Structures are given as structure tokens and as C-alpha cells.
Amino acid sequence: MNKYSGFGLLKHGLSYHENWQRAWRNPKPKAKYDVVIVGGGGHGLATAYYLAKVHGVTNIAVVEKGYLGGGNTARNTTIVRSNYLWDESAHLYEHAMKLWEGLSQDLNYNVMFSQRGVLNLGHTLQDMRDIQRRVNANRLNGIDGEVLDTQQVQEIVPIMDCSANTRYPVLGASWQPRAGVARHDAVAWGYARAADALGVDLIQQCEVDDIITEDGAAVAVHTKQHGLIKADRIGCVVAGNSSVLAKMAGFSLPLESHPLQALVSEPIKPILDTVVMSNHVHGYVSQSDKGDLVIGAGIDGYNGYGQRGSYSTIEHTVQAIIELFPIFSRVRMNRQWGGIVDTCPDACPIISDTPVENLFFNCGWGTGGFKATPGSGHVFAATLAKGEAHELAKPFSMFRFNDGSLIDEHGAAGVAH
Amino acid sequence: MTQNNRLSSGGRIDRSQPLTFTFNGKQYQGFKGDTVASALLANGVDIVGRSFKYSRPRGVIAAGAEEPNAILQMGATEATQVPNVRATQQELFDGLVCQVTNGWPSAEFDVMGLVGKAGGSFMPPGFYYKTFMYPQSMWDTYEKCIRKAAGLGRSPRENDPDIYDHINQHVDVMIVGGGAAGLAAALSASRSGARVILADEQAELGGSLLHASESIDGRPASEWAAEVIAQLEACDNVQLLPRSTVNGYHDHNFLTIHQRCTDHLLDCAPIGQARQRMHRVRAKWVVLATGAHERPLVFANNDVPGCMLASAVTTYIKRYSVVPGERLVLMTTNDSAYQAAFDWAESGRFVVAIVDTRAHPGGDVIDEANRRGLKVIAGSAVIEVKGSKRVTGVSVSAINQLGDKALGPVKHLTCDTVASSGGWSPAVHLSCHTGSRPVWRDDVIGFVPGNSQQKQLTAGAINGTAALSTCLQEGFQAGREAAINAGFDTVPSISLPKVDERHIGAAMALFHIPHSKPTSRAPKQFVDFQTDVTAAGIEIATREGYESIEHVKRYTAMGFGTDQGKLGNINGMAIAAKSMNKTIPETGTTIFRPNYTPVTFGAVAGRHCGELFDPKRYSAMHSWHLKNGALFEDVGLWKRPWYFPQAGESMQESLNRECKAAREGVAILDASTLGKIDIQGKDAREFLGRIYTNAWAKLAIGKCRYGLMCGEDGMVFDDGVTACLADDHFVMTTTTGGAARVLEWLELYHQTEWPEMEVYFNTVTDQWSTMTISGPNSRKLLSELTGDIDLSRDAFKFMDWHEGTVAGVPARVFRISFTGELSFEVNVPANYGLYVWEKVFEHGAKYNLTPYGTETMHILRAEKGFIIAGQDTDGSVTPIDLGMDWCVSNQKPYSYIGKRGMNREDCLRKNRKQLVGLKTKRSDVVIPEGSQAVADPNEPVPMTMLGHITSSYYSACLGRSIAMGMIRDGFERMGQTVYYPQPDGSVIEAEICSPIFLDPKGERQNV
């Protein structure tokens, strides 16, 4: 792998950029791998990368039915934060946060991780109690966080309407300075390039249509384009289609698939320097480095696999944004889109072994998977390498729904849902 | 500057209405009927912006929605600023103020242009992914610089003075596009009697008919259009919507139309009028007649101002009477573009040459060009443009017929305008919004709509149809078919008018003009002008392995501009395909999504902003609360009195006074906001038993009972008191915030799980006003107001309810208590609420009746250890965790929601977090709610947390602070000390105790 640098850019510039190497190969699949990872999104690619880098397992294929990073990695609103309420999730997301903090250098690919801070607004007394509780928990868990009052929020976001005249006045916020946004596509590409350099086969346009089991153990995946690919262990990281893959293996997951939409404005000059999220009025917004206001909507109530959603959801979201930022009323919305999120009943992911031996699932991240990408890949890689859950992944077993050890991150964690 | 480029006659502008406008601080003239772009071109303005990455000067290139360059900041005042207005779509009005969005000190002389020139070679696609990484600490600084270069226009800094409307419409046939096919479709659909909407983004309906050279029935096409429009206007069943863009086509034939009502008149809408309106349309059938966009060709320096689409040249000449230059070179792969040269020549300006990439062009236009004496250079292409701020000339070379090699020799032609046409791309965008993938057709050289799941037809150029007569025919047919499909059986067919049109020769499939140098070394050949994506950039992307068209898009930013790739995407896909030796259909398209063109956020939001963002709910006594100085708390949609401060009181002093009144005298709470659900039916009782965790089988008529409700997971989610009115009739109360959720929950279970049960639910929250009269004097006070209810201790027991009159008004009175005191909850019809409330105060004055709000209610109940669902619970606690095992019945003959969940292994664990009371060591210290408990305050971070404070107050009645909270294994830790570290570093020490701080035996309510 040729190292990327400013100097390299100059050098390539002088040769008209004719000599750039491929960021990753386009290999034909082998008959058998140590590990096959189904799903070439951010989480799957990160899993492959850490398997190869940390655990020395390099005989790996990532099979992807479309193109790398084309699912929810390509569709999210790029927010990264770790201010979760419960210890289990806080530790997992903070693990991810620490990896984010050196990720560009580790991958030699600038994922443009911008630690511009995230505000979670409170609009009711109960919101503020929840914020206090969460920030206290964060601090005692070693995660940065502060509770801000209205005045302090206004200082950070001067353009927001923090007056008492709004329908739900801003009473305060939690503030995580280390949180921020990253360039979502670059995360997938950076992991793909680094994994490829370690020998991982990235196989695009390769759709798994069956998981082959023998004596209760998974032995291969069957693909539409390349037939059987055998593997000692199989990891499924297929947000939006997890239940479909589980069905192939003969079990069901406690997941519901919902459309989740997002939208962007036309690019405008920098005006919003941080990420603002509000559960109560139900919208969140940041401004991309390109200048678009990137706005997240809530999930649609019904289930579905079409990567589109209901217009009414868009309307409610835009209303929320204008409620917070009335000055954006004349700015224009450029584009909307949807992804499919797999949501768990307790709003926490599943990183787990399954009823089928040698088959592992990493799924159920709901609306908030992007921020976990490095941590998710890191712990799932360990899980796949050792055949048992990484310490941080243990609480996220799919069997928690049988015994009731749920980690309910609804509401109190500022999970935007 | 005068309007040098304006012809002395012709066009569709109104020369009797001259308009003055300001561009970049300078005043110009135009006419009514101009767009900003046509007016700028009339005035000879070449540069309308600087490009985003390389800061290259850019001019107007198109005449419609596909324009990428003429993106302006508009607005005469701060509050009316609109960023990124497309000059080709903005109608001119008097006093319009606009300016370029990039370029310093001006777009004419931009310093960044030098950087673009010098650094352009070092900014390939994705360069930012490859650099700015080292040292890590510098990234923040790098990013600030990157962000500075971002964006086009700017957001206003003041609030929008305008309002926006929504309107819901239901139609039989929705026709998108008011060109030839759309008008024809509307005409035939309208004859059936079907309700029709025809929407078009332009100010004038007619589309290309407004500047077409063909004649219909022997008259100019525009006259035929005018006649059809007049006919349609006369139809009651037809709604014509000009200036209305169908911006989104959603599932189930739901479309949104963004109508600009006043943007063509003024900076800000006249008072009382909406600036824009969103039509939310549900259509039985849809006819897409959205036309096609002309593709420019991709050649070296094709972005120099003066390079335009051929059709744009025609549009400016014929519609606006503007010739945007003196000397034209036209490059084309097809016949349609010749019209631009003919129009140019007719306006008396010089056509230098028509450069046709086809070796043997053969349509009627060739003969006409010859007849007009225009020079046609066949089998050749403009391989490069000269000039920087305006075209000064072109290099023309012969090319091979594969179109991938410049054969030379290179000839130079002097000109100031280069029009190009690579053919037409059907406007498939709306069709794609529905999830349908477009299909490539070699004969069209473009993507046409694929199969649709929607009730949708297409007509005209969207189908790749070029001939006007065929467009009309398809339009008539589609309109007729749509009406028939929508259920109209008599649809008279319309005879096709006679169209006089040219024979069209075959076009050449060419997108990227070869240069004598390889693409990587040739001057920049732009594909997407707004995002500065070049042919070489696309080749770099595929060379680096970004091979999926989505990767190409995302890596290069192609199609990310405000035109969403309308102009450049097909060219880009063709170049990507060629660089990978694939066909265009193999490469495929990216996905077109709403919006077709950008839509004002305000229009999407409509009136649902500010005051109307969410409805505010007030109780019937709200005016009294206001008069009596209440401060309010938002609970759900309700404005609830929080507390009633008196002059000079601090909040705590008010609370102390209110609490003491309730404990020592009498106090009153407006509890109207609690959810009330009327439940009837023979299975109502069993239904309650299945929904609540406790038993309901034996609740007698005239009795009330407290109930807990859990989710399937066994976690508490709401609670309240339910009264039995009759064996098949109950009234349930819920928390204020949970009312709607609980009703949905009941309906969900009834409709999906237990449809066999006969039970009906109805919200009656708004029908009743509820006042809780609490305190030792409550019986005395209430007895003054009722003659027919015996309030005595034995006649009206705790948890009884009675019907009677209060203050002469029919009432239901419940003897229940959330304060622990003797307490009566009086329910009267809401219309009498204020009357009864005031009557209670008339009589209450002598008892010093004190109103109290939610905060005092919280303190009083916390003194008694009563929970508030949603405050003391968070979706992770079972009834057992709350110490409320008494409220769970395992004796029922049927299961109840949450039973299985709460009996799972982890939920039965002994050392779960449990709700306990907490007393601080220092009685005056109130632990902040949300504080986290630890066993060892000196443990290093991450600390082991035991639980958190859910409720915490200063209790005036007890003379100390009290708190409730979750503590791991709390029931077993009574008397132990826990610590609450605070953000300021201090630690609060507290002892675990029972959460019942006052009157544990419950004697006070029994007086």
C-alpha cells in the first residue's frame, strides 16, 4: 500500500495523477476462507481490518451484495458521540470514540473526524433530569460531558432560538466536546483500503442467498454470483437485512426493520459549528464540511425494506429544525433519502454468537450504528477470532432477550429515535 | 451597461414593463418576463460565479432547472435572503437584488482563482482523504480552512418574515409537465370529466412549444399551446399550476408540488399572502410528461463563460429575445441543436461554424444549414476552448467515428460563444423517486423510466420521444388512458393536430470529446460544473478502484451540487463506463431522489412552526391560573401550573407554603390533564386484567383501584387509578404525558392481539375537569359545595367514588389520594370546570384554600414514596424493583402484558437496582436529581455506579431533604451509606432508607 501524504499528492500531481494505485483489489473469491464476513459496510470492513491487524487472521473475505459502504454507512448523518447512559453501552461507544481519535492516522486515510462537539438539548424538566443523570454517569465512566444551561447553549450556538417564546424553550443541554462528525464514505473506504493491504479479499457484487450449515454449524455461504464460499467462521454485519440472513441460518432475531430518513440543505457558508440534537422536538442537525445542513429524521413507524420513507416524517423533522433555527426557513432542502435500520427492543445492538455454531451476528444498531463503527469492528473481530464474545461485547448477546438482561437506551440516552 | 444583447423585437417578454434590478451592487435593466439569467445575458454579464474548488469564472450555461453555474444570493434585506437561487428559474421583478456567491474581492477578479490555477493539479478527487492527516494535531486548523471554502450562498441571519401554506388535494389525474405532451394529456383527460391537476415548474405553461420552430395545424406551436391552455383554464375540473414544481413522487401516488406564489413579484410576500405553497397530492393516476434535458458535451475548457447548451441559446433568443454573444460555434452530435445556429443567424449575428461530430449527418437540418449558407464541419469536434473570462476561440479537430480520438489537424476558429449538444436525457427523476430504476436505450441514447410500481404513465420526451407529433400523440393517449384507469368510461378521443416537422437524422452516441492529449494531460474537461468534477477526475476515481457509479459519485462529488447532476451525470456515467471498458447500462445510474429541485424549508414546514409547532393544551381553569400568577411546566402537550409564587417569594418558599397548606389546611390541584379513558363492553373487566399487572376481577361498582401497566418486557410504563362505573364500564386515568400512548396501547392490543374481546375505548380527557382537593380541611370545604353526596368517613370510604353534584354541577367524586392526605378528586364536565373551581375558591377562602402546582404535587407524593411513572421509572424497572409486588397478581386465570417478561431470569435477580429512599447526612442538602451513587467516593474513574437519584426535594413538612432513587440491591442495603459525586468535585453522602418518609401506616388519609 502506497502511503498517502501531502508529498505524495504533489508527486502524483506532477505525473498527472496517472499512477495512483487502486485503493483495493477486485479479487475473485477463493473456495475457502478462515473467516467470511457478510456485509461490506463500515462495520464489516472494520471487522475485517481489525481481524487482520490485531488478530493476524488475514485469510478473510468480505462479501458485499452491492458496493462497499453502500448501505447505512452511506446514508447516515455521520454523528459520532459516546455519551450513552448505561455502563455497557457507554464503554462500547467510548471504546469506539478512542479508536476514532486516531483513525485517520491508523488507516492512513483521512476520515475527517471533526470533534466539534455534540449538544443534546433538553426542553422539559424531565429532559433535564435525564440529561443530569446521563452526564453524571458519563463523567463517572470517564467520558467527557457537561450540563449546560440555556445561556451556555446560546453561546455555543448563537443562531439557535433559545428564547422563552418557543413552543418548547431550550432549558439546557448535555455537551460532549469530543463528539462530532466524520466523513462517512471515507470511513468505509479507509477501512477497505487498509484491510485490502493486509490481504483481505473484498468481493463486491456478491450477494449471499444462503448460509450452509452442517450438524448445527455454519460451514459456508452460498452466493448468487460466485456459488459456495466455505469458511471456518462466518460473521454477518448486514444492517437492514439481519433478519433475512438469520432466517437463512434458521433462527430469528428480535429485530424490526424500519426506514430511517435524512436530508440535506443546499450547501451554504459555514454557520453551524457543532452538532445539535433534540429528542423532544425530534430533529438533529450539523453542517458538513461541504456546507450542507445535514438533518436526521426519525424512523418511520411501519416496517419495510424500501430505502425510502414517509413524507410526513420529513415534514415533522423540518418543522423541528425551523423551530430550533427559524433563520433556516428560507434555506432550501436539496435532497432526502432513506436507509433501513434494524432496531432492537432495548435500542442496543446485538454482537453475539448465535444458535448456529461458527456463525456470529453484529446487528441491531438501530439509528446509531455509524458512531460505533471502529469499536463495533474491533470487538466483533475479537469475537470472531476467538469464537467467544469480547469483554465489551458480552452484554450485547442476542440471548439477553431470553433472560431479560436488557440495556434499555431508549430516551434516557438521548438515542434519537 | 445597456442591454446590448437584447434584440429590438420578438420574444415573450413585456417590453412595456422595464424592470430595474441590482447584481453585485450594480443596477441593470430587464423586462417583465425575463429570468434573472436572461436579463444578465441581455446586459452582457459573462461571469455569474466562481467555481467551488478551482475558483474558475463561470457563466450561464443553461436556461432551466439544470443550470449549475448561475447560483446567486438573493434578497434585498437580511431577513429575506435566499441562498443559491438559480438565476435561470428566478423571474425578474422590479427591485430584485442579487449577487454572486463566491469570489473575493469580486467574481470578476477572484484571488482564489490564482490558487485554483496553481493548485488545481494537486487537488484531484478525494485529495482531502489523502492529506491533512499529519501531524494529527493540525487537523482542526486544516478543517477550518476547508470549511471556509465550503458552501455557495449564505443563510439569512434574521427570521423569515414570510408564511407558507400546505394544501391537500385529491385528483383523478395528476399531470407533471406543461409542455406538448403534458398539455395534450391534460386536454384529453379533462374531456372525461376527471379532476386534473397540471403542474409545471415554469412561469408559463407550454414548455418547448414556447420556442419551437415547428408549426401545428399551420400555426406557430406557441399559438396552439395558448389555445389549449385557454381551453383548460375554462374547465372547472382542471387546475393549472404554473410556477409549481413537482419536487417529490412518493409511494402510493403521493406527490408534493412546490408552488412559488409570490417569488416573481417581490422580495417578500405581500402581507396576508403565503410566499410559497406545498400541494400534497394524492392522485389516482399520474402522467409524467417531464420532458428531457439537453446534455452538453465534455471538452477541454468547456466551462469558460460563453459555453452554453444549444437549446439554451434557442431559448434565450426565442423566449427572451436575447442573443448571448456575437460569434457562435455550435458543436453537436445530433440534429436538434442546429436550430440554435438557425436562430442565431436569424437574429443577425454570425455563425462561425456548425461542428458536427457525425461524419455523415443526414437529417433535414443539414439541407437547411446549407440553404442558409452556414458552414458545417462534419466528423469533427471542438476539442478545446480558448479564453478565461469569456470564450475567445476554439480548436477544432477531426475525430474518429468511435469518438475517442482526435485525428487532427487542429484548426482555430475565433468566436465568443460555443453551444454544444450531446443529445437529450429524459427527465426520469420523478419516476426514479418511486424506487423504479431507469432503463438505458441505445436508440434514445439515454435512460428512460423503468417499470413502475405506481399507477403512472409517461408521455413525450421522457420516453425518449423526439418528434413533436409523437409527443402530442403520446400525451393524448396517456391522458385518455389515465382517465379511463381512474374510472371514467367516456373519454372522447381527440384528433391529432397536424405537425409540420423536419425529418430527423440519426444521432451519435458521444459524451466526451477526445483531445489531442490524453484526458489526464488535457486542459480540464468539466462534467459537473458546480462541483468541479472533470473527465480526468472520473478516470482517476475508477483507476483507484472506485468503480461502482455510487463510488464515482461519492469520491468525485459528481452530482452533489444543487442541480443534483441534471446536467452532468449521464456524461459522467458514460466517462466512467468508458474508462472501465463497460457499457453505460452496465455501469448504471446513481439514484435520483427528492427533491427534483430544492425546496424552501419553510414550505416543507408550512404553518406548523412557532405557536403551531405543536398544539398547546390548556385545562378549563387555565385563565384562573394565569390570573393567579402561576408559572407553567410543559408536560406532554399540556401547560400545567408548576407553582403559584406570591410576591417576593423564592421558588422554595412557594413550595414550602403550598406543601404546608396541603398537609395542614386545604389545597387544590388542577389535575385535569391526567389522561382519562372511558372503557366499555362486556369484556372490559378482563381487558383491564390483561393490561394491568394487578387484579380487577373483584373491583366493585363504586370502587377505584390503582393499577400498574407494563410493556411486554415486564417494565413499568404507566400507572393510574381506574374506577368501576358498571360491570361493563370503567374510567381509566393515565399519566398526563402518557395518555395518548396508553390509548394507542389499548387499541393496539385490542385490534391486533385480542380482537375477539368486546371492549371499546374512548378518550374523555378533554371532557372532564379534575380538581384534587387535599388536606385535613378538604371534607369540610367540599361538604359546603355538595348536598347530595355523603362525605362522611364511613359513607364515602377511601378508594370509593360517588356521583352527585358539586356547586350544583353533576360531578364524579373520587376519594383517592396522591398526597397522603384526606383527598377528594372532583370531576365535572369541562365546560363547568372554571365555574366549579371558582366556587370552590369562594368557599375555600375561609380555609385559606391554596392552589398548588406540579412541583408541590411531586414533593407531597415523594414524602409518601409514591412513584411518578417516567420520572422514577425509565423503562428498565419492574414492579418488583419498585417494591410494588403488592400490585402484581399471579392469581389471574389469564396472563397479562409483561408477566412473562418480568419473570425472566435477569428480572428475578435479587441484586437488581431497586427503588429506595435516601436521606442526606446533612438534612439541608438536596441531592441533585440525576446524581449517580457510588459505594466508594475515592474509586478511580471509571467508577462503579449503584444507581441514580430519580426524585429529590426539600420537604418543608419534614424539615429536611428527601430523595428517591435506584440503588443496586437497595432493599437489602437499608441503613447503608452511599455517595453521590458531583460535577464540581464535591460528594454528597446519603443513607438508604424506606421511600415512605411520612405516615407509613397511611393514617392521614383516613381521618
Side-chain angles (χ1 to χ4, degrees), chain A residues 17-18 101 269 332-333 403, chain B residues 84 121 136 152 520 543:
Chain A
H17 303 288
E18 287 165 357
E101 285 176 323
K269 296 276 187 295
R332 300 188 301 180
M333 166 180 160
D403 68 22
Chain B
N84 307 345
S121 337
Q136 192 177 343
L152 294 166
S520 53
R543 184 177 302 137

Side-chain angles (χ1 to χ4, degrees), chain A residues 141-408:
Chain A
N141 268 325
I143 297 168
D144 59 321
E146 275 176 67
V147 179
L148 305 184
D149 63 21
T150 312
Q151 182 59 36
Q152 291 168 307
V153 172
Q154 185 78 86
E155 278 164 24
I156 291 177
V157 193
I159 59 166
M160 188 160 62
D161 188 349
C162 290
S163 70
N165 310 323
T166 57
R167 177 65 183 86
Y168 297 111
V170 175
L171 302 184
S174 74
W175 169 238
Q176 187 182 20
R178 281 161 69 237
V181 291
R183 174 80 180 100
H184 53 352
D185 292 325
V187 175
W189 300 338
Y191 273 120
R193 173 168 166 270
D196 175 89
L198 294 170
V200 175
D201 283 354
L202 307 177
I203 301 158
Q204 301 182 71
Q205 304 296 329
C206 179
E207 181 174 355
V208 170
D209 55 12
D210 202 4
I211 293 172
I212 312 298
T213 58
E214 277 172 18
D215 303 329
V219 293
V221 294
H222 187 271
T223 68
K224 266 188 190 163
Q225 292 82 356
H226 300 287
L228 271 189
I229 304 175
K230 291 186 186 167
D232 292 338
R233 284 187 184 138
I234 298 168
C236 291
V237 205
V238 290
N241 285 284
S242 309
S243 336
V244 178
L245 271 280
K247 195 178 173 191
M248 290 175 195
F251 62 94
S252 64
L253 288 166
L255 295 176
E256 284 188 22
S257 300
H258 291 268
L260 174 69
Q261 299 181 88
L263 57 110
V264 285
S265 74
E266 296 184 291
I268 52 175
K269 296 276 187 295
I271 189 162
L272 180 62
D273 298 327
T274 188
V275 183
V276 177
M277 310 180 71
S278 168
N279 261 3
H280 196 83
V281 304
H282 229 123
Y284 43 105
V285 57
S286 65
Q287 188 174 20
S288 76
D289 283 351
K290 199 168 127 279
D292 308 355
L293 297 172
V294 183
I295 294 168
I299 63 170
D300 275 28
Y302 61 82
N303 302 141
Y305 290 108
Q307 287 168 322
R308 304 182 302 280
S310 304
Y311 182 69
S312 58
T313 309
I314 297 288
E315 282 181 334
H316 290 313
T317 303
V318 170
Q319 286 154 11
I321 297 304
I322 294 185
E323 179 67 2
L324 295 173
F325 299 93
I327 65 164
F328 290 157
S329 171
R330 290 174 95 86
V331 176
R332 300 188 301 180
M333 166 180 160
N334 200 23
R335 184 175 168 93
Q336 68 178 77
W337 63 91
I340 303 304
V341 296
D342 289 337
T343 59
C344 270
D346 61 354
C348 275
I350 290 170
I351 310 170
S352 183
D353 55 345
T354 67
V356 177
E357 209 180 325
N358 297 332
L359 179 64
F360 299 82
F361 266 71
N362 181 351
C363 60
W365 292 89
T367 62
F370 176 72
K371 65 176 78 68
T373 305
S376 161
H378 196 267
V379 300
F380 196 49
T383 305
L384 282 170
K386 303 199 172 112
E388 66 174 78
H390 181 278
E391 202 54 41
L392 289 175
K394 272 185 188 153
F396 299 94
S397 162
M398 67 178 278
F399 301 105
R400 72 180 185 272
F401 298 97
N402 298 356
D403 68 22
S405 52
L406 307 185
I407 310 153
D408 200 305

Side-chain angles (χ1 to χ4, degrees), chain A residues 3-6 9-10 13-14 16-18 20-24 26 67-68 74-75 86-87 91 101-102 104-105 108-110 112-114 116 124-126 129 132-133 136-137 139-142 159 167-169 183-186 189 204 263 265-273 281 287 289-291 293 295 307-308 311 314-315 318-320 322-323 326-338 401-406 408, chain B residues 79-85 101-102 121-122 124 128-134 136 139 143 147 150-153 155-160 162 164 166 250-251 254 256 267 275 278 280 433-435 520-521 540 543-548 550-551 553-555 560-562 564 591 593-595 598-602 604-605 608 610 613-616 633-634 637 639 642 870-871 874-875 904-906 913 929-932 941-943 945 948 983:
Chain A
K3 197 177 171 191
Y4 289 158
S5 66
L9 206 55
L10 286 177
L14 297 174
Y16 307 97
H17 303 288
E18 287 165 357
W20 286 107
Q21 286 184 344
R22 293 182 64 96
W24 49 80
N26 210 354
Y67 57 96
L68 298 177
R75 292 157 202 273
W86 298 103
D87 296 347
H91 291 147
E101 285 176 323
S104 294
Q105 290 71 28
N108 179 233
Y109 202 103
N110 194 346
M112 307 178 87
F113 178 46
S114 168
R116 53 181 73 176
T124 66
L125 297 176
Q126 186 58 41
R129 285 183 202 109
Q132 292 279 4
R133 175 188 179 191
N136 277 315
R139 295 172 68 98
L140 300 189
N141 268 325
I159 59 166
R167 177 65 183 86
Y168 297 111
R183 174 80 180 100
H184 53 352
D185 292 325
W189 300 338
Q204 301 182 71
L263 57 110
S265 74
E266 296 184 291
I268 52 175
K269 296 276 187 295
I271 189 162
L272 180 62
D273 298 327
V281 304
Q287 188 174 20
D289 283 351
K290 199 168 127 279
L293 297 172
I295 294 168
Q307 287 168 322
R308 304 182 302 280
Y311 182 69
I314 297 288
E315 282 181 334
V318 170
Q319 286 154 11
I322 294 185
E323 179 67 2
I327 65 164
F328 290 157
S329 171
R330 290 174 95 86
V331 176
R332 300 188 301 180
M333 166 180 160
N334 200 23
R335 184 175 168 93
Q336 68 178 77
W337 63 91
F401 298 97
N402 298 356
D403 68 22
S405 52
L406 307 185
D408 200 305
Chain B
T80 56
Q81 291 297 311
V82 184
N84 307 345
V85 172
T101 59
N102 276 324
S121 337
F122 307 104
Y128 29 83
Y129 303 133
K130 295 173 174 164
T131 181
F132 304 131
M133 282 180 279
Y134 310 100
Q136 192 177 343
W139 165 241
E143 197 195 18
R147 286 196 73 196
L152 294 166
S155 165
R157 287 272 179 176
E158 289 175 13
N159 290 358
D160 193 344
D162 281 322
Y164 302 85
H166 284 175
H250 305 270
D251 287 354
F254 180 73
T256 48
D267 204 45
R275 178 179 166 230
M278 289 298 284
R280 305 157 89 252
H433 289 181
T434 65
S520 53
R521 301 184 182 211
I540 292 172
R543 184 177 302 137
E544 289 193 84
Y546 299 88
E547 292 174 327
S548 154
E550 281 286 350
H551 281 164
K553 168 191 165 183
R554 289 160 181 276
Y555 194 60
F560 268 106
T562 60
Q564 288 200 55
I591 298 176
R593 290 186 181 269
N595 294 320
V599 175
T600 311
F601 279 133
V604 178
H608 305 272
F613 174 70
D614 249 1
K616 284 178 191 163
E633 176 189 3
D634 282 309
L637 296 174
K639 293 283 179 188
W642 189 17
Q871 177 170 342
D874 60 1
R904 286 176 295 183
E905 184 188 335
D906 192 75
K913 286 179 183 168
E929 287 168 346
S931 294
Q932 296 281 349
V941 166
M943 299 174 86
M945 286 171 260
H948 73 288

